[in-house]
Amino acid sequence: IKKPLLVIIGSKDEFLDRPAKQVLQIFDEHQHSSKYKSIVIPNALHSFNGKEKILASTITNWSNKLA
């Protein structure tokens, strides 16, 4: 993937088969985008319930830097 890529995972994502940081490490090692960022949101589940503000802020801040 060479397009801008933002990968966000909740640290308590109930669908992960390994710790979130390990999942992001795989993305980090295989990405080819100059506009790539990976983030773990602490204590967030897969749905990000209760973490919507930090999720929205993270996406907004990242997308604003693309311009």
Side-chain angles (χ1 to χ4, degrees):
I1 299 172
K2 295 183 181 182
K3 301 292 181 187
L5 178 63
L6 174 62
V7 178
I8 304 172
I9 298 178
S11 69
K12 294 190 176 185
D13 188 320
E14 63 274 27
F15 296 108
L16 296 179
D17 64 348
R18 64 197 79 190
K21 288 191 180 224
Q22 287 182 8
V23 173
L24 289 185
Q25 183 178 5
I26 294 167
F27 277 96
D28 293 347
E29 291 173 0
H30 293 93
Q31 65 83 24
H32 299 287
S33 174
S34 62
K35 296 180 179 179
Y36 168 79
K37 186 168 187 170
S38 63
I39 297 171
V40 174
I41 295 185
N43 301 312
L45 297 173
H46 184 79
S47 63
F48 297 98
N49 281 346
K51 303 294 183 183
E52 293 89 352
K53 287 183 181 179
I54 190 165
L55 178 63
S57 174
T58 299
I59 294 168
T60 300
N61 290 338
W62 176 79
S63 64
N64 286 340
K65 292 179 183 176
L66 294 177

